Amino acid sequence: MAKLQSVRGTYDLYGMAKKKAQKVISTASDVVEKYGFEEIETQIFEFTEVFSRNLGDTSDIVTKEMYTFQDRGGESLTLRPEGTAGVVRSFISEGMQQNLPVKLYYSGPMFRYERPQKGRQRQFTQFGVEMLGVETPQADIEVIAMAYEFLEKLGLNGTVTVEINSLGDKESRDSYREKLVAYLRENFDKLSEDSKNRLEKNPLRVLDSKEECDKEVVANAPLYADSLNEYSANFFASVLRGLDLLGIKYRVNNRLVRGLDYYSHTVFELVTDKLGAQGTVLAGGRYDGLVAQMGGADVAGIGWACGVERLSMLLEKELEQSRPIAVIEVGEDVKDCALQVAYNLRKAGFKVEHAYSGNLKKRMIKANKANAYKAVIIGSDELASGKVTLKDLDLGEQKLVELKKLIEEI
Ligand code: ATP
Ligand code: MG
């Protein structure tokens, strides 16, 4: 058996890290629910084709990163590497196309076989949104606004930049593709092996390469903006105008393309300079052809997903935690009473730490460690007259109160 440890590139989440991850998810849910998004939970595995056919067969995810296995019935299954393909699969197979628009959000684990680094794990958590059935720029503006508000609520608005670009419609993409291929052919020798391959199959992907040699070539590549047809250029202008109207700051990044095949028109990333090479905390775009490509109707879509762990790492401050009341018993004969007091306080809505063992002094130390703000000290003499001691741990003051009136007193 392998050594007793977690699989390389995977981490157990507990303590403050878990609390931060939870806060990222609950903040995101609160924001997107105001925009009318509803939660969906698809399963962690799907038939392999759901991903292999739709993410693009030259994408990094499909070529190198998927956890694929055969189950005992001989089906090829894949642990989901991202959320969109599964949500769209569900949108089609559950017949949600009847009632547009459909606005969904999800969160949960994703799996990619990548080289583990800070902010790059083999199992990580994404929170994502998908808006289906809205073709107008209003959808683009709304989902970006939602992302922006979410990061603002996390207190990250100063550290994160919105980068945005347009890939245009199919006609614009084809026209750009031609110019790009011509340019890349001229620079063929300077490209990485991967990019030489991509040149034939999917040249746009070269723009997204992380190899230094490719980046140098890409720096002088033709600009996407010059290839947008009128419709696409107007569409993009409307999106930007909407963002201006809402006071959302952004930077147009002509080099921004997304790693997957299904994007068109608007693509965007929220980027920080605080996580080194893993600076993208949230990414998304429009995917108007995807639903039809997967066998559904011709329904437009747009969405984003964020890396929950990457965002958690940006929450520097320790989160404030609610403070408990300590219940402290002194002596064997008050044990039953302490059990009841703790139970009743919790039922009344208080957070309670019941010190399980030790003398009074030890239990008081534990109460302070738990950051309790009050202690209920139960001793047999006082209890004989129906009273307990209520101590304010911040002020150090204490008084005897009637057990019956304890909750009122607190
Ligand atoms: P990168 O360029 O960093 O590889 P990506 O383009 O593969 O990112 P997406 O597929 O767009 O990432 O996923 C959306 C977000 O999910 C990313 O912006 C990032 O915050 C997070 N993410 C992606 N892969 C990982 C990973 N291996 N570990 C942790 N977070 C990740
Ligand atoms: Mg990646």
Side-chain angles (χ1 to χ4, degrees), residues 89-150:
R89 192 272 306 142
S90 177
F91 171 78
I92 299 168
S93 62
E94 296 296 311
M96 295 181 217
Q97 308 180 66
Q98 305 309 320
N99 218 343
L100 298 174
V102 167
K103 301 193 265 185
L104 300 168
Y105 74 90
Y106 60 85
S107 65
M110 305 292 159
F111 304 83
R112 297 183 191 178
Y113 190 81
E114 301 206 66
R115 193 165 69 78
Q117 297 163 64
K118 183 180 181 205
R120 193 175 292 287
Q121 301 145 222
R122 289 184 175 172
Q123 175 173 337
F124 60 99
T125 314
Q126 277 186 346
F127 177 100
V129 300
E130 313 294 351
M131 185 174 200
L132 292 138
V134 183
E135 287 162 22
T136 60
Q138 214 185 328
D140 309 50
I141 298 162
E142 224 170 75
V143 298
I144 295 171
M146 225 162 49
Y148 194 78
E149 188 190 333
F150 158 47

Side-chain angles (χ1 to χ4, degrees), residues 89 164 313 320 348 363 385:
R89 192 272 306 142
I164 188 168
M313 285 190 283
E320 283 203 18
R363 290 183 202 229
S385 52

Side-chain angles (χ1 to χ4, degrees), residues 252-270:
V252 175
N253 174 356
N254 275 303
R255 302 289 172 207
L256 183 67
V257 292
R258 302 278 311 126
L260 303 176
D261 270 0
Y262 52 57
Y263 288 108
S264 56
H265 290 290
T266 317
V267 290
F268 54 92
E269 292 190 348
L270 273 63

Side-chain angles (χ1 to χ4, degrees), residues 39-46 51 80 82-91 93-94 96 104-110:
E39 186 162 19
I40 180 172
E41 184 174 327
T42 62
Q43 306 309 298
I44 283 170
F45 49 46
E46 296 276 350
F51 306 112
R80 62 182 181 197
E82 56 97 56
T84 303
V87 170
V88 172
R89 192 272 306 142
S90 177
F91 171 78
S93 62
E94 296 296 311
M96 295 181 217
L104 300 168
Y105 74 90
Y106 60 85
S107 65
M110 305 292 159

Side-chain angles (χ1 to χ4, degrees), residues 15-78:
M16 193 47 73
K18 177 67 189 173
K19 292 203 172 77
K20 285 184 176 176
Q22 206 58 52
K23 168 153 181 167
V24 169
I25 292 171
S26 65
T27 305
S29 315
D30 287 351
V31 170
V32 307
E33 289 205 358
K34 287 191 304 173
Y35 289 75
F37 283 67
E38 289 182 7
E39 186 162 19
I40 180 172
E41 184 174 327
T42 62
Q43 306 309 298
I44 283 170
F45 49 46
E46 296 276 350
F47 291 120
T48 300
E49 295 98 80
V50 170
F51 306 112
S52 62
R53 286 222 201 118
N54 299 304
L55 307 188
D57 50 16
T58 57
S59 66
D60 280 352
I61 290 186
V62 173
T63 54
K64 307 182 211 162
E65 299 175 359
M66 294 204 307
Y67 279 93
T68 296
F69 62 97
Q70 249 190 16
D71 75 1
R72 288 169 191 273
E75 299 281 10
S76 179
L77 303 180
T78 294

Side-chain angles (χ1 to χ4, degrees), residues 365-376:
I365 291 172
K366 278 184 193 154
N368 281 319
K369 256 199 181 149
N371 196 23
Y373 68 109
K374 280 185 197 302
V376 179

